[in-house]
Each structure stands twice: as C-alpha cells, then as structure tokens.
Amino acid sequence: PIADLVTTNIYEANLLSGLQIRSKEDIENSARKIIGLGAKAVLIKGGGLKDMKGFIFFLSFHIINCL
C-alpha cells in the first residue's frame, strides 16, 4: 500500500493479507501482514463477522487497540 493508514473491512483484509479471518486473533495477524506490505497503520472493521459487529481493530507500529 502507498498509504499511512489502510482502512478495510474483514473481506478486504482477507484479500490484502492472504489470511482467512475468523477471530480477533486472525484480525491482529492480518493487520500485521498488511503493515508488512508498507502501511504504517491498519484499521479493520469487524462487521463482516457475526460475533464482531461494531468491533474495530487498529494496529500501528506502536499501538494495538481494540475499540
């Protein structure tokens, strides 16, 4: 990515990271892979998963937050 912040939903994060997201741990692993592509931070919205509606995950080089 040519961006400081990549904002994705679950499906987009699956495509960018090459991982299948099914849990909060998968979201973190996906975000780390996306950062490995060059983004400085990743925001993944969890609405695509039944148990994570309204869940937002933010990861940067220095901060990990689940909102």
Side-chain angles (χ1 to χ4, degrees), residues 16-64:
L16 287 171
S17 69
L19 300 175
Q20 187 66 25
I21 297 173
R22 295 188 180 103
S23 67
K24 289 180 182 178
E25 292 79 21
D26 293 340
I27 290 175
E28 182 174 342
N29 291 332
S30 177
R32 290 184 186 282
K33 282 210 162 218
I34 295 168
I35 282 181
L37 296 172
K40 292 183 182 173
V42 178
L43 181 120
I44 299 175
K45 297 168 280 180
L49 296 176
K50 187 176 183 178
D51 296 339
M52 292 191 222
K53 282 215 183 284
F55 176 82
I56 297 172
F57 182 87
F58 176 79
L59 176 74
S60 75
F61 284 122
H62 307 290
I63 301 170
I64 299 174

Side-chain angles (χ1 to χ4, degrees), residues 7-14 21 43-46 48:
T7 304
T8 69
N9 59 38
I10 294 292
Y11 304 109
E12 294 163 339
N14 285 337
I21 297 173
L43 181 120
I44 299 175
K45 297 168 280 180

